[in-house]
Amino acid sequence: MTQITAARDGTVTPQMRIVAEKEGLEAETIREGVAAGRIAIPANVNHTALSPEGVGGGLRTKVNVNLGISGDMHDEEEEFSKVAVALELGAEGIMDLSNHGKTREFRTKLIERSSAMVGTVPMYDAIGYLEKPLVDITVEDFLEVIRVHAEDGVDFATIHAGMNRRVIDSFRETGRLTNIVSRGGSLIFAWMEATGNENPFYEHYDEVLAICREYDVTISLGDAMRPGSTYDASDAAQIAELIEIGTLNRRAWDAGVQVMVEGPGHMALDEIAANMKLEKRLCHNAPFYVLGPLVTDIAPGYDHITAAIGGAVAAASGADFLCYVTPAEHLRLPDVNDVREGLVATKIAAHAADIAKGVRGARDIDNRMSDARRRIDWEGMFDCAIDPVRARKVFESAPPATEGTCTMCGKMCAMRTVNTIMEGLVVSLD
């Protein structure tokens, strides 16, 4: 049984119980959400190190980290340093986007070590794994790669099945400033153009679903037509693909496969909320997994900020899973520090959104932080911080002259002044 078939049969799985405990909800609430498709619990039967997480309506917004081996930079030790940072800071998902050489060894080690759910894009791996030119890869080859990833224990797989011939016709007719920016989508587009065939993942979707069901891989329906610029946001190609994805969404549920839907991309701030509502409407309230959105195109080096702004609005408006963006976006493969910066920015966005949409218990940690600040309890503040290492390092870098304060206000610290008055003592500001 998969999580969704078990839920429909009235069974509360161990994974559902763990998710319920993490979320502070009843296990039955989680079961009902999984049965309806509103919640996904990506949990491959072969990922034994997994600490399950729920993604979907009414739950905390989850955060994903991208990493992996690239052709120009293939340092496995460096990538596992990024994994360590991701787990340290509490990322719920890690996507292995390796696209160079034989990636299976890295992927299997990651799955063995990661308590976070692991995702991949099998299309990235096809050329290296099969050792064939793109044009020579067959449908059977593509399916074989998906099966290998599933056997290895991948919890969710991005499959760009929605970009069919109808969507490509729309793309050609309307035109775009930045064309197709999805790496997986561009490879499928190139294969379709070279062979004259339909998208293999669309045409053979039932075979893809059969593999996913066998291992309980959650299918993450990729947005090959996501906008790569604010100019292209909400255009005909993006929406045409989303309509196709909505149909594929239902087919996956009917086949007993859990679903997440991937979304944009680059998008102006005032378009984000409407796009989140549109996705939920067209995709039947399936969990929505978004990259950013980046709210401006002119901030290379700071795109973790542009993405965090968009991500906060997206999650507050209904998105359930945020993929981080690092300061290196559009510039190079991120290093370990970029991963930390990008992950913290995205966790801030996710948490801010959870407060806005009233997720149960979301404000509790903020209240504890505020109480610690009132009491000038530095250790308590560090314990509540999203990145306690950074907070402590900044504080200790400039020791204050007045014990218990910081160098911003020193003995004029408002908390210190009011605490002293409240204790009935005389205050001297000399």
Side-chain angles (χ1 to χ4, degrees):
M1 288 182 39
T2 63
Q3 295 294 322
I4 193 169
T5 58
R8 288 171 177 168
D9 287 345
T11 300
V12 174
T13 65
Q15 291 83 1
M16 293 176 201
R17 294 191 187 281
I18 292 170
V19 169
E21 184 176 351
K22 288 181 176 182
E23 300 287 343
L25 299 171
E26 296 294 326
E28 179 62 16
T29 300
I30 302 300
R31 186 201 67 76
E32 290 175 355
V34 173
R38 294 191 308 272
I39 295 172
I41 304 177
N44 188 308
V45 294
N46 289 339
H47 188 179
T48 57
L50 177 69
S51 177
E53 295 285 353
V55 180
L59 308 184
R60 290 178 298 106
T61 305
K62 306 307 186 297
V63 172
N64 176 74
V65 164
N66 290 340
L67 46 81
I69 309 295
S70 76
D72 289 321
M73 300 180 69
H74 39 273
D75 185 337
E76 184 176 298
E77 184 177 344
E78 172 81 354
E79 296 311 304
F80 275 113
S81 295
K82 298 175 188 179
V83 172
V85 169
L87 296 177
E88 171 201 338
L89 290 173
E92 290 88 4
I94 297 176
M95 284 202 82
D96 173 16
L97 303 186
S98 296
N99 57 58
H100 173 75
K102 297 297 184 182
T103 61
R104 193 173 194 181
E105 181 179 353
F106 177 78
R107 181 171 62 251
T108 53
K109 286 181 182 177
L110 172 61
I111 292 166
E112 287 171 2
R113 301 179 189 183
S114 178
S115 56
M117 53 185 164
V118 174
T120 60
V121 186
M123 185 67 199
Y124 291 180
D125 193 30
I127 296 172
Y129 176 79
L130 297 165
E131 296 183 324
K132 287 183 178 182
L134 179 63
V135 69
D136 292 336
I137 297 176
T138 66
V139 170
E140 291 72 23
D141 290 333
F142 285 129
L143 294 174
E144 178 189 346
V145 176
I146 294 174
R147 178 170 290 280
V148 168
H149 282 229
E151 289 174 350
D152 287 344
V154 167
D155 301 297
F156 63 100
T158 295
I159 306 294
H160 298 91
M163 186 185 65
N164 57 24
R165 286 288 174 191
R166 288 189 294 272
V167 172
I168 288 175
D169 287 345
S170 179
F171 160 64
R172 288 189 181 282
E173 289 167 6
T174 58
R176 273 188 159 189
L177 183 60
T178 48
N179 291 323
I180 298 173
V181 300
S182 160
R183 184 162 55 188
S186 69
L187 291 171
I188 296 168
F189 175 72
W191 184 88
M192 293 170 69
E193 291 298 294
T195 64
N197 295 328
E198 178 60 278
N199 180 339
F201 303 117
Y202 176 80
E203 188 173 16
H204 298 271
Y205 190 57
D206 290 338
E207 290 98 312
V208 173
L209 294 178
I211 295 169
C212 291
R213 173 162 179 155
E214 185 176 351
Y215 298 92
D216 202 359
V217 175
T218 297
I219 190 166
S220 190
L221 289 167
D223 54 337
M225 289 294 176
R226 69 172 179 266
S229 60
T230 54
Y231 182 91
D232 291 336
S234 309
D235 71 352
Q238 178 197 331
I239 304 306
E241 183 184 38
L242 187 61
I243 292 169
E244 299 290 345
I245 286 173
T247 301
L248 296 173
N249 187 152
R250 279 209 178 276
R251 285 176 60 186
W253 284 341
D254 290 343
V257 175
Q258 298 185 100
V259 177
M260 296 190 294
V261 174
E262 297 186 14
H266 292 233
M267 184 166 286
L269 199 62
D270 64 328
E271 296 180 62
I272 296 173
N275 267 263
M276 301 306 107
K277 295 181 187 304
L278 184 64
E279 183 279 338
K280 290 288 184 176
R281 176 69 177 87
L282 292 177
C283 298
H284 323 292
N285 291 313
F288 201 20
Y289 173 29
V290 299
L291 177 70
L294 281 67
V295 294
T296 180
D297 305 321
I298 62 168
Y302 299 91
D303 275 329
H304 59 311
I305 297 174
T306 65
I309 293 168
V313 176
S317 303
D320 307 293
F321 196 14
L322 300 181
C323 185
Y324 88 155
V325 172
T326 78
E329 185 78 7
H330 300 113
L331 301 172
R332 62 164 168 80
L333 189 75
D335 61 21
V336 173
N337 188 60
D338 294 326
V339 169
R340 179 177 287 274
E341 293 288 320
L343 177 52
V344 170
T346 309
K347 284 181 68 68
I348 292 169
H351 182 66
D354 287 348
I355 292 173
K357 58 188 177 186
V359 171
R360 179 171 178 170
R363 286 183 179 269
D364 293 352
I365 188 73
D366 295 78
N367 294 340
R368 292 200 296 274
M369 173 66 89
S370 298
D371 181 62
R373 283 178 171 152
R374 176 182 59 80
R375 294 182 288 105
I376 320 178
D377 174 6
W378 293 104
E379 291 302 320
M381 290 183 234
F382 299 147
D383 286 344
C384 294
I386 282 180
D387 185 354
V389 173
R390 174 72 178 274
R392 185 184 296 276
K393 182 178 180 180
V394 172
F395 173 72
E396 293 179 349
S397 68
T402 303
E403 185 178 356
T405 66
C406 76
T407 54
M408 179 71 179
C409 298
K411 64 183 179 181
M412 293 181 68
C413 170
M415 298 296 190
R416 176 175 176 267
T417 299
V418 176
N419 287 347
T420 305
I421 292 173
M422 297 297 287
E423 291 167 5
L425 302 177
V426 176
V427 180
S428 173
L429 297 182
D430 295 334

